[in-house]
Amino acid sequence: MARTIRINGIDVPVIADEMSGGDIKKSAGIGRDRVLVRQEEDRNTIVDDAQRVRIADGDTFAHHARHSKADPPIPSSSRAENRGNS
């Protein structure tokens, strides 16, 4: 099923349930030298190029230079546990 994610205010259509950070950047035409950050209500988390993340319609990301102040990536298993506690 097609989904639309938003990266730096631009809608990007994707079809996968799960993508790596590198795949997300490639879909949006973002250079590999940029940092991809998943923006959530309570935190911003860096998504490494090799890290796979679940994609939901309306997910929001940003990209910027490597000197990011975002939280480091958290393991997918921890993310699932944290969402269950919300």
Side-chain angles (χ1 to χ4, degrees), residues 59-70:
D59 279 351
T60 305
F61 296 85
H63 67 89
H64 41 77
R66 287 252 171 231
H67 61 276
S68 171
K69 294 182 181 179

Side-chain angles (χ1 to χ4, degrees), residues 1 4 11 17 21 27 45 60 77 83-84 86:
M1 177 177 196
T4 300
D11 289 341
D17 293 356
S27 295
T45 306
T60 305
S77 60
R83 285 189 178 171
S86 299

Side-chain angles (χ1 to χ4, degrees), residues 17-18 38-43 45 47 51-61 74-86:
D17 293 356
E18 188 175 288
R38 178 177 228 144
Q39 297 178 313
E40 297 176 285
E41 191 173 311
D42 59 344
R43 80 181 94 196
T45 306
V47 179
Q51 181 183 355
R52 296 194 63 80
V53 294
R54 285 199 149 296
I55 301 295
D57 193 46
D59 279 351
T60 305
F61 296 85
I74 58 175
S76 297
S77 60
S78 295
R79 180 181 305 278
E81 291 169 9
N82 289 337
R83 285 189 178 171
N85 294 330
S86 299

